[in-house]
Amino acid sequence: ERQAGSVLVTSCERLLGENWERLRGNIRLRVIALSDDRFKDPRLDGAVYAYLPAQTPLPLIERMIDNAISHVHLTTIRQEFNQRLSEAAREIDELNRIGAALSAEHDTDKLLDLILSKSREITGADAGSLYVVEEDGHGRRLRFVQAQNDSVPVHFRQTAMEISAQSVAGYVALTGDTVNIDDAYNPPEGLSFTINRSFDEASGYRTKSMLAVAMRNPKQEIIGVVQLINCKRKPDAKLTNAGAVDEEVTGFNGHQRELVASLASQAAVALENSRLVGDIQRLFEGFVRASVTAVEERDPATCGHSFRVASLALRLAEAC
């Protein structure tokens, strides 16, 4: 018996027959039968790795044992490879499905909610928040637009903050670096930002693992930040106390980080498209309004007629 698997060397057909059910389901076990003829029970042929003559010299048996162990190792590697390949195909399919859903949603508020919920879904995150970069009279700022939590109620209002290295989201928006912390209450030394515990103190929640990823558009401009909190071993677990957090929460691994980065890129494109559609709609409405105004001003007697008709039609539709 070795770490890669086990080899059973026997000449007893009865022993194999009594353990048939255990043998056929054990992919880490190989059976070498010492027999001058095949066993009478035909089922055992499928469980026997090799038949050797009963008088086979010991060195040859040892060599066959090494071959059997190597076969176990190769079989295990192939099984693990097939499993990883299947998981990768499932994840690619999920990302494509999410990408299609993001592309189909043009309502900005619904899109932002979808981006955060899907990011949490593919990582098993209990909570999360979403920030978007906006331009205003004060320059580029970061607006807190979405918050979700499966364990405690979330009451938040949209707020804007400076893009600086003093906060996690601000640091990511400023530098583009990903932040991955296993325990927010015991962060690594040398960080420029601090963890805001105000929500935890108000709600009794415990923020532990944290992952923050920048959303980049095709021009590699940072237009938002996805921040995920508390990666759970079991997606349906509720983190209602410190004990549940210690038992269920783990750090975000490198693979989850890559998944979120890929989704964040898709989300950035979808958000840019949503904003573009909104700009086009506003431009079209402005063009129509300006055209109607120009036409009506040619005749003072009918000035405002089109707008009054539109307003009355809308009121009739609402009344009906």
Side-chain angles (χ1 to χ4, degrees):
E1 183 174 346
R2 302 182 186 178
Q3 186 175 3
S6 304
V7 177
L8 173 63
V9 181
T10 182
S11 60
C12 180
E13 182 176 4
R14 179 183 57 79
L15 175 64
L16 297 181
E18 291 175 352
N19 294 276
W20 161 249
E21 293 296 332
R22 294 171 57 189
L23 290 174
R24 68 173 183 172
N26 192 341
I27 65 170
R28 294 184 177 273
L29 175 67
R30 296 295 180 269
V31 177
I32 297 176
L34 299 179
S35 175
D36 292 326
D37 196 4
R38 290 182 176 273
F39 292 142
K40 296 178 182 179
D41 189 341
R43 297 179 308 165
L44 300 181
D45 283 343
V48 175
Y49 172 72
Y51 284 95
L52 295 177
Q55 304 303 319
T56 300
L58 182 59
L60 185 57
I61 294 177
E62 291 176 346
R63 184 178 300 177
M64 184 59 72
I65 290 174
D66 288 338
N67 291 340
I69 291 294
S70 297
H71 187 260
V72 171
H73 181 61
L74 291 174
T75 301
T76 302
I77 290 177
R78 183 179 64 183
Q79 185 182 48
E80 292 176 352
F81 176 79
N82 288 337
Q83 183 177 357
R84 291 178 183 176
L85 188 62
S86 176
E87 291 176 355
R90 178 184 58 79
E91 288 172 350
I92 291 173
D93 181 68
E94 179 68 8
L95 285 174
N96 288 336
R97 186 180 65 80
I98 293 174
L102 294 177
S103 299
E105 182 58 70
H106 297 303
D107 184 293
T108 301
D109 291 337
K110 292 181 180 179
L111 177 60
L112 294 173
D113 182 76
L114 187 62
I115 291 171
L116 184 55
S117 63
K118 292 302 181 183
S119 297
R120 292 175 51 236
E121 181 181 317
I122 64 173
T123 58
D126 185 61
S129 52
L130 187 66
Y131 303 79
V132 296
V133 176
E134 62 180 16
E135 298 276 355
D136 59 18
H138 302 284
R140 283 166 54 85
R141 294 170 66 84
L142 197 61
R143 180 168 292 277
F144 176 32
V145 294
Q146 281 288 333
Q148 299 173 0
N149 192 305
D150 284 342
S151 297
V152 299
V154 177
H155 304 287
F156 85 103
R157 60 184 179 86
Q158 292 195 10
T159 57
M161 65 182 76
E162 293 183 2
I163 298 179
S164 71
Q166 301 304 308
S167 65
V168 176
Y171 173 83
V172 174
L174 181 66
T175 65
D177 295 339
T178 296
V179 171
N180 191 357
I181 300 175
D182 289 338
D183 190 345
Y185 286 10
N186 297 286
E189 295 182 359
L191 298 179
S192 63
F193 52 81
T194 56
I195 308 299
N196 189 340
R197 298 193 189 185
S198 59
F199 176 78
D200 288 13
E201 293 169 353
S203 65
Y205 193 66
R206 166 66 161 100
T207 297
K208 192 173 183 182
S209 59
M210 178 182 294
L211 175 65
V213 178
M215 294 169 54
R216 298 177 184 269
N217 64 15
K219 297 179 182 179
Q220 294 303 300
E221 298 169 337
I222 298 174
I223 66 169
V225 176
V226 178
Q227 182 172 288
L228 304 176
I229 296 171
N230 287 345
C231 176
K232 297 185 290 189
R233 292 184 173 89
K234 295 194 292 287
D236 58 346
K238 298 296 183 182
L239 309 180
T240 54
N241 54 65
V245 172
D246 291 337
E247 182 178 350
E248 295 294 341
V249 175
T250 183
F252 293 92
N253 58 41
H255 183 59
Q256 290 171 319
R257 171 178 170 173
E258 293 174 358
L259 286 176
V260 175
S262 176
L263 178 55
S265 297
Q266 296 185 64
V269 173
L271 183 56
E272 290 270 87
N273 290 340
S274 176
R275 288 174 171 174
L276 181 60
V277 169
D279 291 343
I280 292 174
Q281 289 177 339
R282 285 188 290 272
L283 181 62
F284 179 72
E285 291 174 358
F287 171 75
V288 171
R289 188 179 299 275
S291 299
V292 172
T293 300
V295 171
E296 292 194 338
E297 285 184 349
R298 295 177 60 186
D299 186 356
T302 60
C303 182
H305 173 72
S306 298
F307 292 111
R308 289 193 294 271
V309 170
S311 178
L312 288 172
L314 180 62
R315 293 179 182 177
L316 284 172
E318 290 174 346
C320 295

